[in-house]
Amino acid sequence: MNEEELINITAIIEKTNNQKIIQTLNEFKDTIESLNNIDGNNKFMKKCLNIIYNDVLSKIDELSNMEECRRISINLAFELQKIKQVTEMLPYINKKPKNTIFNDEEFMNIPNIEIIKLDQPDKIKQQLNNFYSKISLGHAYVGTGKQHQFQAMQCFVKNLKALYYISNQEETKLAATQAITNPTLEHALQIWRIIDESKIVKAGFKLQLEKVKLKKIIYIPRLFNQITLDSLHNFNTNSTDIPNNQLYEIAFRSIRKKQNGNDIRVRVMCNKQVFKHKVSNGDIVQVVRRLTKSEFQMQKTQHIQQLQQPLTFFGESCVSSRTDIRGMGLNAISNIIVHIHGGGFISMSSFSHQSYTRKWANQLDNTVVFSIDYRLAPEFPFPQALDDCWQYYMWIIHFGSAYFNICPKNIILMGDSAGGNLALGIVIRAIETNQRIPDKVILQYPALNLNLQDVVPSNLKSMNDQIIPMGFLMLCRQSYIKDESDIANDYYLSPIQTPQEIIQQFPKDFVIFVGSEDVLLDNSVEFVHCCKNNGLESIKLKVFESLPHGFQNMDIRYNGVRAANSANTQIIDQIKQFII
């Protein structure tokens, strides 16, 4: 920060009597001055500070001149909290390597990155503001009634207060601002899980969904080697350690109903019937034999040679190439979408993402969509969600064709936000354990770096983000990562750290979609640069102008964001290019 900017901060301090402003800005200024004397990445630090200087400090200056009241106090606390968060981040910002791509003003100008304009920015902004008013109502709603001990009384007060908030937008906004200034985990869970846990909201959401011919829930057993903290990098390349007889017994059971608490819940959607009328005993026997006999395990050299012709299992055959599979299952579905939902690792479900997954099922021919409900933090921290997704993926590629009328020639792995992080975990695990790699990967605004000490400029946008404000980002990470000792930079948590030899084996058909106003945008930009420089030159990043994080879920029938609908249409067009 230059001398003029420091003088402006000092001027705000000197003209106010508010001790909170004085203390917060003094700590901010002292941190900047101390870092100016350290040999760090000053260029990068200045770039990050410019994002917040004119916005936050000007608001604090304006609020400090107003007569104190409840509205001013709430808004001032919100702005001061932003300064406190940036103050904590400044030492990490200053330590960013000097060769970071963000020091290059042309870092977005590479052939791999495409900027897509959907509408006029002011029109999209108005659409988003209308949508954000509903988010504010949600914050206000879940924040009321907590003073009452009995749940029935809490529910009564909440619903009564909701009527008040619906008719008073100013109070709704204030209540929401107060809730996200210093959010609690309880509040974050309530607001993000509201679609799944509130009967009223869930019923309203259902009315927004498209009808789809097939929508079923199945329950997948755990048949493969589990991913634990101990086995994360010390793993067995065998698919399973379960004995033959026991594996067969577990595999050959109904997936239509839950057998025990360890089963994994999966939503199946398609525009036609895909369940087999009768499960073939012989099919499952053959798969079990392959999984429990060492001669069916591929050697690493064979695996690399066959990356473009991955193993596909169908019926009683182990098919090693698409050439071999052409004459099999002529009426079977050959495109499989393996979908993993987002929600900060702590919330949401396959149900709450149906606003767009049902559109996939309806609009994509010869395609079936599988969408998982993995276990959520904080009850189930890393790597339990990753293990659920791995078990789910492995079951589909090995046993899917025994239960469904599918011939998985083409597996498209998709995930948004936290789901994008987990999807990359599957790709990495498949490469490291010599399993079938997905044929294509499409990610939407993925969480590619969970190391909060590795800051990029767009992360600072979370200070004003309505979907994932800074406090929520930190709560998600703290809930998901319980063991900080040795996994801060682990590439299963932060795929931006993936080694070159693994990146070189990523699927060649690899596309990431993100909004230009997404707090995670620069992580995607950095990841694409990294992949391009490490052998994956075909990777693409498509940036939708003016859209924020989570835009896919804004595409709803009533009072949704039209630009989000346009973006989702383009994502469907991309999937159509990838299906066969």
Side-chain angles (χ1 to χ4, degrees):
M1 183 171 284
N2 59 39
E3 191 66 27
E4 181 184 351
E5 291 165 340
L6 288 172
I7 291 172
N8 289 339
I9 296 175
T10 303
I12 297 174
I13 294 172
E14 289 178 347
K15 71 179 182 180
T16 182
N17 294 321
N18 189 307
Q19 291 303 309
K20 291 181 179 178
I21 295 177
I22 294 171
Q23 180 181 350
T24 302
L25 292 187
N26 269 326
E27 290 174 355
F28 179 59
K29 184 166 72 74
D30 290 345
T31 302
I32 293 172
E33 289 176 331
S34 66
L35 291 174
N36 283 341
N37 298 321
I38 298 174
D39 182 23
N41 193 339
N42 294 326
K43 184 176 181 180
F44 182 71
M45 190 168 80
K46 183 175 181 180
K47 186 171 187 176
C48 290
L49 285 172
N50 284 340
I51 294 175
I52 64 107
Y53 182 73
N54 293 326
D55 176 31
V56 182
L57 288 179
S58 62
K59 287 180 181 176
I60 291 174
D61 190 20
E62 180 183 352
L63 291 167
S64 68
N65 293 323
M66 295 182 179
E67 185 176 347
E68 189 169 343
C69 62
R70 176 172 168 270
R71 179 179 66 84
I72 299 301
S73 296
I74 291 174
N75 287 326
L76 181 59
F78 181 56
E79 300 302 328
L80 291 176
Q81 182 61 22
K82 296 178 187 178
I83 295 293
K84 292 176 183 177
Q85 290 167 343
V86 173
T87 302
E88 293 175 0
M89 295 167 67
L90 281 174
Y92 307 122
I93 292 172
N94 196 51
K95 290 179 182 178
K96 189 79 171 178
K98 293 184 179 181
N99 63 348
T100 176
I101 60 167
F102 303 109
N103 283 352
D104 181 357
E105 296 302 321
E106 301 295 322
F107 69 92
M108 293 284 285
N109 189 24
I110 61 174
N112 305 64
I113 300 176
E114 178 186 359
I115 311 297
I116 301 172
K117 185 173 182 178
L118 300 169
D119 203 341
Q120 295 300 320
D122 57 335
K123 291 183 178 179
I124 296 178
K125 185 177 181 179
Q126 184 57 51
Q127 295 168 29
L128 289 169
N129 286 337
N130 292 337
F131 187 86
Y132 291 152
S133 66
K134 300 174 182 61
I135 303 294
S136 294
L137 181 60
H139 282 297
Y141 174 76
V142 302
T144 58
K146 294 179 180 179
Q147 69 274 25
H148 298 282
Q149 182 179 358
F150 299 105
Q151 189 172 2
M153 190 63 182
Q154 287 183 6
C155 184
F156 174 77
V157 171
K158 276 187 176 183
N159 291 328
L160 190 65
K161 196 77 172 179
L163 297 175
Y164 168 71
Y165 284 132
I166 289 172
S167 60
N168 193 324
Q169 290 189 2
E170 181 63 28
E171 278 299 313
T172 301
K173 190 174 181 180
L174 281 178
T177 301
Q178 195 168 24
I180 64 176
T181 298
N182 288 291
T184 64
L185 179 59
E186 178 189 9
H187 181 86
L189 293 176
Q190 284 185 325
I191 186 67
W192 279 5
R193 294 181 180 181
I194 195 168
I195 291 179
D196 294 295
E197 297 183 354
S198 169
K199 292 182 179 179
I200 296 175
V201 177
K202 192 171 187 175
F205 181 72
K206 281 184 177 179
L207 295 175
Q208 306 258 18
L209 300 177
E210 290 187 2
K211 301 295 182 183
V212 63
K213 184 170 184 178
L214 175 75
K215 55 182 190 303
K216 295 289 184 183
I217 300 296
I218 62 172
Y219 296 92
I220 291 175
R222 297 176 185 276
L223 302 174
F224 304 92
N225 291 334
Q226 293 190 20
I227 299 176
T228 64
L229 285 176
D230 291 335
S231 69
L232 199 59
H233 297 288
N234 183 26
F235 50 80
N236 186 344
T237 55
N238 291 334
S239 302
T240 179
D241 285 333
I242 300 175
N244 186 309
N245 291 340
Q246 187 179 350
L247 181 64
Y248 173 75
E249 182 181 346
I250 299 173
F252 192 69
R253 43 145 273 197
S254 173
I255 59 172
R256 298 294 191 104
K257 58 183 179 180
K258 193 172 185 177
Q259 299 291 319
N260 56 62
N262 288 323
D263 285 350
I264 300 166
R265 191 173 188 267
V266 174
R267 189 177 302 272
V268 185
M269 291 166 285
C270 191
N271 56 22
K272 66 179 181 180
Q273 180 58 245
V274 292
F275 280 90
K276 283 188 173 180
H277 295 297
K278 184 179 180 180
V279 178
S280 168
N281 186 22
D283 288 356
I284 295 177
V285 168
Q286 291 299 322
V287 176
V288 169
R289 285 178 179 172
R290 287 195 298 273
L291 292 174
T292 54
K293 287 187 177 180
S294 60
E295 60 261 34
F296 284 97
Q297 300 299 325
M298 292 182 296
Q299 297 300 316
K300 186 71 174 177
T301 54
Q302 293 174 322
H303 173 65
I304 293 174
Q305 291 168 2
Q306 295 178 3
L307 281 177
Q308 298 308 312
Q309 296 180 325
L311 283 185
T312 304
F313 299 100
F314 181 78
E316 296 185 3
S317 300
C318 179
V319 185
S320 60
S321 73
R322 294 194 183 96
T323 303
D324 297 334
I325 206 169
R326 285 173 184 168
M328 304 175 59
L330 296 178
N331 297 319
I333 291 176
S334 56
N335 298 293
I336 313 300
I337 290 181
V338 176
H339 172 252
I340 307 174
H341 71 80
F345 304 101
I346 67 172
S347 65
M348 307 193 83
S349 66
S350 65
F351 171 80
S352 59
H353 284 64
Q354 287 182 102
S355 58
Y356 62 86
T357 55
R358 285 197 180 192
K359 291 181 179 180
W360 296 350
N362 283 334
Q363 296 184 39
L364 299 172
D365 294 329
N366 193 27
T367 304
V368 61
V369 179
F370 292 93
S371 185
I372 185 178
D373 288 311
Y374 54 85
R375 290 172 294 177
L376 301 172
E379 296 87 350
F380 302 100
F382 175 82
Q384 295 181 69
L386 178 60
D387 180 60
D388 287 354
C389 294
W390 177 245
Q391 299 287 335
Y392 151 69
Y393 173 75
M394 290 287 283
W395 187 91
I396 290 171
I397 66 172
H398 286 282
F399 289 98
S401 57
Y403 289 86
F404 297 93
N405 187 32
I406 60 176
C407 179
K409 300 177 186 177
N410 186 36
I411 295 179
I412 304 172
L413 181 61
M414 302 188 68
D416 62 279
S417 193
N421 178 288
L422 294 167
L424 278 170
I426 287 178
V427 176
I428 293 168
R429 197 66 171 184
I431 292 170
E432 290 194 318
T433 59
N434 303 335
Q435 295 298 323
R436 174 173 178 178
I437 303 171
D439 299 276
K440 282 97 175 180
V441 176
I442 300 176
L443 305 180
Q444 302 91 353
Y445 36 87
L448 297 167
N449 193 349
L450 299 191
N451 183 358
L452 292 182
Q453 296 181 7
D454 186 7
V455 184
V456 292
S458 68
N459 292 163
L460 298 177
K461 292 182 179 180
S462 63
M463 291 182 297
N464 291 312
D465 194 86
Q466 300 290 315
I467 304 298
I468 47 171
M470 180 74 75
F472 277 44
L473 273 177
M474 294 180 177
L475 285 172
C476 289
R477 184 186 182 279
Q478 291 165 6
S479 299
Y480 187 53
I481 305 174
K482 295 297 185 183
D483 182 359
E484 295 279 357
S485 59
D486 58 355
I487 58 176
N489 292 310
D490 193 286
Y491 52 84
Y492 275 104
L493 277 169
S494 298
I496 192 72
Q497 302 289 339
T498 304
Q500 180 182 23
E501 61 270 18
I502 295 178
I503 290 175
Q504 289 174 344
Q505 298 178 60
F506 279 177
K508 303 303 178 188
D509 293 320
F510 196 132
V511 179
I512 299 175
F513 290 94
V514 68
S516 67
E517 299 307 304
D518 196 319
V519 301
L520 303 183
L521 166 65
D522 288 346
N523 295 119
S524 289
V525 173
E526 195 170 30
F527 182 74
V528 167
H529 273 270
C530 177
C531 288
K532 178 178 179 291
N533 294 334
N534 284 283
L536 188 67
E537 296 184 2
S538 59
I539 190 169
K540 301 294 183 185
L541 176 64
K542 300 191 177 185
V543 183
F544 294 120
E545 277 193 353
S546 304
L547 284 184
H549 192 81
F551 63 77
Q552 278 191 295
N553 296 84
M554 300 176 186
D555 179 16
I556 53 179
R557 189 176 301 177
Y558 307 112
N559 300 314
V561 177
R562 291 193 304 275
N565 177 268
S566 300
N568 280 344
T569 298
Q570 295 208 30
I571 292 174
I572 291 174
D573 289 341
Q574 179 65 68
I575 303 172
K576 288 178 178 178
Q577 293 178 34
F578 278 178
I579 63 176
I580 58 177

